[in-house]
Amino acid sequence: MATKKYTVTLPEELAEEIRREVGPGSFSAYVTQAIERQRERDRLGELVADLEAEYGPVTDDELAAAEAERRDNERWFAERKAAFEKKSAAA
């Protein structure tokens, strides 16, 4: 992907904190990733707004069901990871 230099203004404390954490050579990559994540969130927000306009708002029961499914998925992945790590350690 082609790149182009832009000038942006950031709070000094925030910029210096990031620079200390990632190093001066990774600052632009960090900012790029942050912007990409924000764009994804913006697009997701637009999708939610469109879907709610068409189908109505998400109910509390639907949110609870989605949260329960998310927790189940996290548990499943954690168990798979633990099993893999245990198998790898035994080898």
Side-chain angles (χ1 to χ4, degrees):
M1 174 189 309
T3 61
K4 183 176 179 181
K5 193 171 193 168
Y6 290 90
T7 300
V8 298
T9 303
L10 301 170
E12 184 176 2
E13 300 81 22
L14 175 62
E16 292 305 318
E17 181 180 328
I18 292 167
R19 189 176 300 277
R20 279 191 304 276
E21 289 177 12
V22 301
S26 299
F27 187 83
S28 290
Y30 184 94
V31 172
T32 298
Q33 289 172 349
I35 292 170
E36 288 171 344
R37 280 193 307 273
Q38 184 61 48
R39 290 189 69 210
E40 289 171 0
R41 289 179 62 123
D42 293 346
R43 286 192 205 110
L44 182 57
E46 292 169 6
L47 174 61
V48 169
D50 290 346
L51 291 172
E52 287 185 337
E54 186 170 345
Y55 300 105
V58 178
T59 66
D60 289 341
D61 288 343
E62 291 168 329
L63 286 172
E67 178 60 20
E69 184 175 346
R70 184 195 65 76
R71 284 192 308 268
D72 288 345
N73 288 339
E74 282 189 355
R75 189 176 311 111
W76 184 84
F77 280 107
E79 290 168 358
R80 296 287 305 222
K81 181 180 178 184
F84 176 78
E85 289 171 351
K86 183 177 179 181
K87 183 178 177 182
S88 296

